[in-house]
Amino acid sequence: MTRTPVNVTVTGAAGQIGYALLFRIASGHLLGPDVPVNLRLLEIPQGLKAAEGTAMELDDCAFPLLRGIEITDDANKAFDGANVALLVGARPRTKGMERGDLLSANGGIFKPQGKAINDNAADDIKVLVVGNPANTNALIAQAAAPDVPAERFTAMTRLDHNRAISQLAAKTGAAVSDIKKLTIWGNHSATQYPDIFHAEIAGKNAAELVDDEAWLADTFIPTVAKRGAAIIEARGASSAASAANAAIDHVHTWVNGTAAGDWTSMGIPSDGSYGVPEGIISSFPVTTENGTYEIVQGLDINEFSRARIDASVKELTEERDAVRELGLI
Ligand SMILES: NC(=O)C1=CN([C@@H]2O[C@H](COP(=O)(O)OP(=O)(O)OC[C@H]3O[C@@H](n4cnc5c(N)ncnc54)[C@H](O)[C@@H]3O)[C@@H](O)[C@H]2O)C=CC1
Ligand SMILES: O=C([O-])CC(=O)C(=O)O
């Protein structure tokens, strides 16, 4: 049976994450090995030529699942009929830029893109925001799309999730595949909280196995939370392949489901669970099934975790208040 191709829109397609992402979407890693895709690439005018070059290379791969590529600088065209949207293009913080300037510059990108999604995307649209500050950019886009169910707007904390699994595997000597139920709470920023208190390593509680609160507080959490900065320091450029990989993981899990006995981390609009104010886009432990997700409920949050979740959530509410004051939501 021939399946209808899924329309996947990628913004910032000519950037470094775009370059690491598009080939994996076209080869079937985003949605599955039997799902054909149409790619829609959105760039600013200065990025169009490079996007065309990437499209030439995509053609040269002769991917059987890739049914078409469109390149545009018009958001309404890029999101027309989109089923999946990966919002990667963003305004990076430059020297001397205050946080308000950064939020306002990104508001100028994510508000019109949210509206274009609202007006043009397919009814089943799923949005992942990668461009930083990812959680608040997702909130801006979501607020500009009142006709789209809010839960379709998500922000990427899967890279943090994967980084935390890798660090925990290195500490304990466990295989990555033996680590389950790890959680990233809060913001994709240095305040994020990677939580191993409910995580399991080959079925045993990870925090009990590690049994080293000083390592948790002084090594594990800061290493995961500041990994992005460490990559920039080492590579001279920010994470690209690992960020693209996490974007693939995020959407693949959302569409195809979490494994039994495991969960993942996604930045999603809070429903008030775990005392996180309703509406802000914060990372939670979630299970996914049939293209929908649910927050894992009933976890016991100890004092160590509570203080850290609250600190990251406070930062998110401050970012929300700042974009509200700027008239962006
Ligand atoms: N959530 C996460 O875990 C991570 C997020 N990031 C963020 O992802 C974003 C992209 O990173 P890179 O690809 O390395 O940046 P990059 O600078 O290489 O590429 C960004 C691209 O976006 C384009 N762009 C800018 N404004 C646009 C607009 N309005 N519409 C369409 N395209 C637009 C630019 O022309 C450029 O080609 C950054 O904001 C970065 O901070 C990076 C790593 C991890
Ligand atoms: O700060 C950046 O652009 C990179 C980033 O988000 C990360 O690697 O986690």
Side-chain angles (χ1 to χ4, degrees), residues 16-17 92-93 130-132 134 156 159-160 163 188-189 192 224-232 237-240 242-243:
Q16 52 153 3
I17 294 177
R93 190 195 290 264
V130 174
N132 280 319
M156 189 164 95
L159 179 54
D160 311 298
R163 287 167 170 164
H188 171 68
S189 75
Q192 68 176 266
V224 174
K226 296 180 188 160
R227 188 71 165 179
I231 300 283
I232 291 171
S238 61
S239 316
S242 55

Side-chain angles (χ1 to χ4, degrees), residues 2 9 24 31 52 65 123 126 134 145 211 234 248 252 262 287 297 307-308:
T2 29
T9 303
R24 295 193 61 200
L31 299 167
E52 278 160 19
L65 292 172
D123 287 347
K126 288 180 168 61
D211 191 25
I248 296 276
H252 190 275
D262 200 4
T287 53
Q297 296 294 343
R308 287 166 174 81

Side-chain angles (χ1 to χ4, degrees), residues 2 10 42 50 73-74 82 85 113 116 141 163 187 208 211 233 239 260 272 276 291 297 306-307 312-313 323-324:
T2 29
V10 178
L42 180 67
D73 59 0
D74 177 342
Q113 289 185 358
R163 287 167 170 164
N187 202 0
E208 283 167 21
D211 191 25
E233 177 67 28
S239 316
V276 179
Q297 296 294 343
R306 188 75 260 169
S312 196
V313 164
V323 293
R324 197 176 266 162

Side-chain angles (χ1 to χ4, degrees), residues 8 10 17-33 37 39 84-86 88 128-130 156-159 162 240-257 264-266:
V8 180
V10 178
I17 294 177
Y19 194 71
L21 184 59
L22 293 168
F23 297 86
R24 295 193 61 200
I25 300 173
S27 61
H29 289 91
L30 186 77
L31 299 167
V37 293
L39 281 173
V84 176
L86 304 175
V88 179
L128 167 62
V129 176
V130 174
M156 189 164 95
T157 52
R158 185 63 172 264
L159 179 54
N162 290 344
S242 55
N245 178 68
I248 296 276
D249 284 351
H250 177 114
V251 174
H252 190 275
T253 303
W254 189 358
V255 171
N256 294 300
T264 190
S265 305
M266 286 168 68

Side-chain angles (χ1 to χ4, degrees), residues 113-167:
Q113 289 185 358
K115 182 167 181 345
I117 288 170
N118 190 67
D119 296 348
N120 300 283
D123 287 347
D124 67 348
I125 179 72
K126 288 180 168 61
V127 182
L128 167 62
V129 176
V130 174
N132 280 319
N135 299 55
T136 297
N137 287 342
L139 178 65
I140 293 169
Q142 182 268 313
D147 303 331
V148 178
E151 71 269 14
R152 306 285 189 76
F153 284 83
T154 66
M156 189 164 95
T157 52
R158 185 63 172 264
L159 179 54
D160 311 298
H161 183 97
N162 290 344
R163 287 167 170 164
I165 287 179
S166 174
Q167 292 298 323

